[in-house]
Each structure stands twice: as C-alpha cells, then as structure tokens.
Amino acid sequence: MLVVCYLQQTCRAYLVSIMQPVMRAISPYVENCELDLLRLPPGTTTDTLDCNAFNLYTVCRAVLDAVFVAVKYAPPEMRRMCAFIRHNIESQWDPP
C-alpha cells in the first residue's frame, strides 16, 4: 500500500498517461472476463468460458504491453522503487 501511495504522489501523471488509453481500450472486454463457474450464470457454455478466457488474456496482455512499452519513460523515482523491490525479491528467492 505504501508503494502504491508513493507512486501515486510522485508518478501520477506518468501512470495516467500510460494507463488511461489502455483502460479505455479494454473497457468493453472487462465485463466478460469471468472464469469462475460459481460466479457465472447457470448453464454457461464452454464457448462462453473460452471467450472469457480470451478476453482475460487480451486485457492482461494490453495492460502489460502498455507498461513495457512505456518503461523507458518511467520517472526516476519509479525506476528506483522498482529496482529496490526487484533486488529484495531476488535476494530472498535466489540466494547466492
């Protein structure tokens, strides 16, 4: 939560500039991404599940692509925070 708050304060303009267009583009698909059979209406077909799985993949891919394409424009604060988090994760999961 601290990271999110920090990034919202220091990198808000950057985050909005990369996420706003992709959020508009994926909004028609978001409603049809459910894969949990307990949350879907009774009688949901395999075709619906396949379509929802494709929609979910499309939405995730669009968000990730937007982030990866814009990484070179990331503010220094964000780069430092991500590098710090990465270093700590790697040191915990891949000890020397």
Side-chain angles (χ1 to χ4, degrees):
M1 198 62 175
L2 283 172
V3 172
V4 171
C5 290
Y6 175 75
L7 291 177
Q8 284 179 343
Q9 288 180 344
T10 60
C11 307
R12 184 171 182 76
Y14 167 75
L15 294 171
V16 168
S17 73
I18 64 167
M19 294 311 296
Q20 196 171 46
V22 77
M23 296 308 283
R24 285 190 184 123
I26 66 174
S27 64
Y29 302 98
V30 173
E31 292 294 319
N32 298 312
C33 291
E34 185 60 63
L35 299 177
D36 185 353
L37 289 174
L38 297 175
R39 294 179 181 216
L40 289 166
T44 299
T45 65
T46 305
D47 288 342
T48 300
L49 284 174
D50 290 344
C51 184
N52 286 4
F54 179 77
N55 288 342
L56 181 60
Y57 171 81
T58 302
V59 165
C60 292
R61 183 86 252 166
V63 170
L64 288 173
D65 286 347
V67 170
F68 291 145
V69 165
V71 74
K72 60 187 169 194
Y73 304 112
E77 300 89 357
M78 186 173 185
R79 288 175 183 243
R80 283 192 298 271
M81 178 69 71
C82 291
F84 175 76
I85 291 170
R86 180 180 181 170
H87 171 76
N88 283 298
I89 290 171
E90 287 176 346
S91 67
Q92 291 294 316
W93 289 96
D94 193 21

